[in-house]
Amino acid sequence: MEKIKIIMDVDVGIDDAIAMCLALGNEKFEVLGFTTTFGNRRCEVTTQNTLKILELVGRTDIPVAPGAVRPLVKEYNPPEFSIVHGYDGLGDMADPLPQPTITTCGKSAVQFMADTLRESDEPVTLVPVGPMTNVATLIMTHPELMPKIKEVVLMGGSTIKGNASPVAEANIIQDPEAAYILFKSGLKIKMAGLDATWDGYIAFDELEEFGKANWLSEKIYSMCGIYAEHYRERMKNPGLAMHDSLTLAWLVNPELVQAEDYYVTVDINGRYTYGMTVTDVDNVMKYKPNATVAMGVDRVPFINMIKEAIANLAAQKK
Amino acid sequence: MSKIPVVIDCDPGIDDSIAIIMLVGSDKVDIKAITTTHGNVGLEGTTKNALGLREYLGMDCLVAKGAAKPMIVPLKNASEIHGANGLAGFELPQPQGTFEKDAAWDVMYDLAKKENGEMVLVVLGPMTNVALTILKYPDFKNYVKRIYMMGGSRLYGNHSPTAEFNIWGDPHACQVVLKSGIPVTMADLYFTYSNSVTGAEMKEMYSHAKKLKPMMDAFIAHDMKFTEAVGADFDNHKITICDSSAAAALLLDGDCLVTEDYYVVCETQSGENEGQTVFDYKGHLKGEPNVQLCISIDKEKYQGLIRDALAHFE
């Protein structure tokens, strides 16, 4: 079977941790490495969390390269506490994951991406699921490697409603200029934004069931306490949105996602709409589409794909 | 005293050339590399000029090619001021060497890392290359002692009502640099104005050139054309050799350079004021000072640097 070679750019993060498990537990993927960014927490924390998850699932062979510690241009004032991911970014479990014994690979995220692309025989898919800072920096510093990028499948954006402002999604608003550079780059882009990811949830009762499936799902279940509370109490959602995982599920099975080609740009000047992925749904501006935008998802097969990957990983390491 | 290791990031450029001549002619600095950027003319032109200058000035340093365009804003240039080739039409010798295989940001990072935190950057064009080095290498900031830059303005602009050309050329890059934590000494537009010379003074300074006389003659002829176009008398007309002020700031730091500390940010989100360097004079933004703004240098010493540097090339 031909595998999909990916580099995942993460800001771990609870849904990032689950997406990492999907990437590592689904046989369709060959994960070349994880690069990290600030986002859900500071980069120091998301990097440690990435290492912790790899150690948890026994995949310490995969390189991790630390990346952006702040957005390209905009101010960076991270909150002391994330109401979605907790202090430690992994739900502040009663029995937290141990400090990792493995370390990062000695290259910065952008160096790692550039070297990996250069050395790869075939084009590689980039899967950024945090702010687009690392990808934008790669685009600016390595124009010669753009042909080596097969496509960029990102979690971020929304055609109309936001979760971090009335109109902006969290990954994009944390570095609008970086996202602007990505959408202007000419790279092939798939955007898994809130239009679809809100609907890609694991229902609360399904979560209870899932928590008993295997040792890894048990661990993830205990990680999800604060994340579940966020969706139940504040978002009034029927379940926990698996935002970051949708990128990967879309790659494995394109049929799962209802998608449209649109012209997308990012507002980098607005007072109220800064960080919005402005999507020309009715092609008013008459520009050629530059992104394929996820507008819906078949929830049940999507959630099942995540569960199966986690079961696979759990079986590989007792 | 050991020499200061320097990388010159520039878009030569007439005034860039004068700044480079001043630095080559000084025994205070050791130039490790010239890195090139879009700016006065396009990247191909500025890189060709950098290679030509290295040859013409007999420099022993790397030349590395940088960014062809700004981070986000559209590409601009100032060839109407510098002539189509960026050097008043003066043709430098065909260079023997070529530029490094690695890009400006990789070369700058590697060199800075070797110098144990002593590296100084002299930045004479849009700040794209420095910004990209900071972004690609999060630890770069620890290896740079100080940036001496020509750009920005404490007051009005020269390419928009409020923006100076180099910063207007890549406002986002300037903001990346100002936020990086690297100490900056800024030769802003008003500092460069304060160092303006009359046409007569320019002729006198440039008369000390020996080997470089043909280039200086071309520069003077170019400035004379501009002066004539505005109907002014060349000898009494004030001419600003912008980038030379950044070189002078470095060479006269600790001597007669007077500076004031400010917290400075660069506007990136306003159409009208894009590229304005906003000086927080009254502390509204509550930031720690990140810029030493150049206020003055001794006029005789400044002109002496140019005179002596030109005489240095036999």
Side-chain angles (χ1 to χ4, degrees):
Chain A
M1 187 187 65
E2 201 172 324
K3 295 199 175 219
I4 306 166
K5 289 187 173 186
I6 61 169
I7 299 172
M8 239 185 129
D9 189 51
V10 293
D11 59 333
V12 185
I14 293 165
D15 62 324
D16 302 68
I18 295 169
M20 285 178 71
C21 292
L22 173 52
L24 296 168
N26 188 301
E27 58 177 6
K28 277 283 261 189
F29 293 111
E30 181 183 345
V31 183
L32 303 178
F34 291 100
T35 53
T36 64
T37 172
F38 78 94
N40 290 325
R41 306 305 291 133
R42 288 178 183 277
C43 189
E44 296 81 355
V45 177
T46 63
T47 304
Q48 288 301 303
N49 289 350
T50 307
L51 296 169
K52 285 178 189 173
I53 296 295
L54 288 179
E55 207 148 85
L56 173 70
V57 302
R59 290 303 304 274
T60 52
D61 55 309
I62 300 195
V64 175
V69 297
R70 46 162 291 137
L72 293 179
V73 181
K74 79 173 277 195
E75 296 287 336
Y76 182 49
N77 298 307
E80 283 305 309
F81 174 70
S82 161
I83 56 170
V84 186
H85 302 275
Y87 284 103
D88 70 0
L90 291 175
D92 301 332
M93 287 181 271
D95 179 20
L97 297 180
Q99 285 304 313
T101 57
I102 51 171
T103 56
T104 53
C105 72
K107 292 175 183 174
S108 78
V110 177
Q111 268 179 301
F112 175 81
M113 286 178 177
D115 291 350
T116 306
L117 290 170
R118 196 180 298 109
E119 287 155 18
S120 175
D121 298 332
E122 53 193 284
V124 173
T125 298
L126 302 184
V127 185
V129 298
M132 303 301 141
T133 321
N134 288 332
V135 177
T137 304
L138 176 74
I139 291 167
M140 292 188 287
T141 53
H142 288 281
E144 82 285 2
L145 292 174
M146 293 304 104
K148 299 297 283 285
I149 299 174
K150 188 174 178 194
E151 58 182 334
V152 180
V153 187
L154 69 101
M155 192 281 133
S158 162
T159 65
I160 188 71
K161 286 184 191 166
N163 61 353
S165 90
V167 295
E169 182 277 332
N171 282 344
I172 307 299
I173 205 173
Q174 288 187 85
D175 196 344
E177 284 79 7
Y180 179 93
I181 288 166
L182 171 59
F183 280 100
K184 283 271 184 269
S185 67
L187 289 168
K188 189 178 171 202
I189 295 172
K190 286 198 177 98
M191 170 175 136
L194 297 177
D195 301 272
T197 64
W198 272 124
D199 293 334
Y201 59 83
I202 177 163
F204 294 113
D205 55 338
E206 290 168 345
L207 181 71
E208 297 300 324
E209 188 105 345
F210 163 73
K212 297 170 196 141
N214 54 63
W215 71 265
L216 184 55
S217 68
E218 225 169 275
K219 199 77 201 170
I220 291 170
Y221 175 80
S222 58
M223 204 182 281
C224 280
I226 183 171
Y227 197 72
E229 186 189 306
H230 173 70
Y231 282 101
R232 197 195 312 265
E233 304 301 328
R234 272 187 297 273
M235 296 293 116
K236 314 286 183 207
N237 215 43
L240 295 68
M242 295 288 106
H243 299 289
D244 291 346
S245 290
L246 189 63
T247 52
L248 301 162
W250 196 359
L251 278 166
V252 173
N253 182 4
E255 308 272 295
L256 285 184
V257 172
Q258 294 88 52
E260 301 286 343
D261 288 347
Y262 293 132
Y263 178 77
V264 179
T265 187
V266 178
D267 182 12
I268 53 171
N269 293 313
R271 176 182 299 192
Y272 300 111
T273 59
Y274 186 47
M276 178 183 183
T277 45
V278 180
T279 308
D280 193 5
V281 170
D282 290 327
N283 196 21
V284 175
M285 298 194 287
K286 308 286 178 218
Y287 293 141
K288 205 169 146 254
N290 60 347
T292 303
V293 179
M295 299 300 288
V297 57
D298 293 337
R299 189 184 79 81
V300 174
F302 168 49
I303 296 301
N304 285 341
M305 190 192 291
I306 297 173
K307 287 180 186 167
E308 278 161 31
I310 289 168
N312 287 345
L313 268 185
Q316 283 162 27
K317 186 197 175 216
K318 295 290 174 191
Chain B
M1 195 185 74
S2 64
K3 292 185 176 189
I4 303 167
V6 168
V7 172
I8 307 173
D9 185 60
C10 57
D11 55 337
I14 295 172
D15 56 333
D16 302 70
S17 306
I18 301 293
I20 293 170
I21 289 165
M22 291 163 74
L23 293 169
V24 177
S26 161
D27 54 11
K28 199 177 160 184
V29 297
D30 176 13
I31 300 166
K32 301 286 183 187
I34 302 177
T35 53
T36 60
T37 172
H38 67 91
N40 289 324
V41 293
L43 180 66
E44 295 309 317
T46 59
T47 307
K48 180 169 178 262
N49 291 345
L51 290 167
L53 282 167
R54 176 172 69 175
E55 184 93 4
Y56 192 49
L57 304 179
M59 298 169 73
D60 178 24
C61 73
L62 307 176
V63 171
K65 200 167 154 179
K69 60 185 175 73
M71 287 176 63
I72 289 173
V73 300
L75 183 64
K76 294 140 183 172
N77 74 55
S79 56
E80 77 283 0
I81 291 170
H82 294 262
N85 80 342
L87 294 175
F90 179 73
E91 288 296 335
L92 287 163
Q94 193 62 36
Q96 301 293 314
T98 182
F99 50 85
E100 296 299 297
K101 186 169 66 52
D102 287 339
W105 30 92
D106 299 323
V107 168
M108 222 185 277
Y109 175 72
D110 289 345
L111 286 171
K113 209 169 171 178
K114 269 187 224 149
E115 298 295 336
N116 300 318
E118 293 302 310
M119 181 64 82
V120 161
L121 308 180
V122 178
V123 184
L124 306 174
M127 309 193 84
T128 320
N129 290 340
V130 182
L132 294 185
T133 315
I134 291 167
L135 293 172
K136 182 173 177 187
Y137 299 101
D139 58 337
F140 177 60
K141 61 177 191 291
N142 306 326
Y143 304 123
V144 180
K145 189 167 190 185
R146 183 166 283 280
I147 292 173
Y148 291 83
M149 63 175 281
M150 191 276 128
S153 172
R154 71 191 80 168
L155 205 53
Y156 306 115
N158 61 352
H159 273 258
S160 84
T162 54
E164 178 280 331
F165 176 77
N166 283 344
I167 305 305
W168 182 68
D170 195 344
H172 298 85
C174 177
Q175 179 69 343
V176 170
V177 174
L178 291 173
K179 289 278 166 198
S180 69
I182 301 174
V184 171
T185 298
M186 183 187 284
D188 82 326
L189 204 52
Y190 283 80
F191 177 64
T192 70
Y193 290 158
S194 75
N195 297 322
S196 295
V197 295
T198 64
E201 284 169 331
M202 178 182 271
K203 282 197 281 194
E204 191 282 321
M205 287 190 310
Y206 289 6
S207 73
H208 293 260
K210 297 164 193 165
K211 183 191 166 193
L212 306 187
K213 186 169 184 301
M215 182 158 83
M216 295 305 117
D217 287 349
F219 287 179
I220 289 177
H222 184 76
D223 281 339
M224 279 179 153
K225 257 194 312 194
F226 272 91
T227 315
E228 262 170 40
V230 297
D233 166 46
F234 182 74
D235 278 358
N236 293 309
H237 192 58
K238 287 270 198 181
I239 300 160
T240 309
I241 314 164
C242 293
D243 291 340
S244 68
S245 287
L250 166 57
L251 297 174
L252 297 174
D253 201 351
D255 180 323
C256 60
L257 176 70
V258 177
T259 63
E260 288 174 5
D261 289 351
Y262 289 103
Y263 178 60
V264 183
V265 292
C266 184
E267 176 58 59
T268 57
Q269 285 179 240
S270 154
E272 286 76 12
N273 290 326
E274 187 167 78
Q276 176 177 1
T277 44
V278 178
F279 283 69
D280 191 20
Y281 288 108
K282 301 287 184 194
H284 291 103
L285 303 177
K286 311 222 182 310
E288 287 296 311
N290 55 352
V291 165
Q292 287 190 340
L293 175 67
C294 298
I295 302 298
S296 66
I297 39 174
D298 180 84
K299 180 182 165 178
E300 280 314 309
K301 283 185 175 170
Y302 163 70
Q303 295 191 10
L305 285 175
I306 299 178
R307 212 179 278 128
D308 294 348
L310 287 169
H312 164 90
F313 296 92
E314 306 263 353

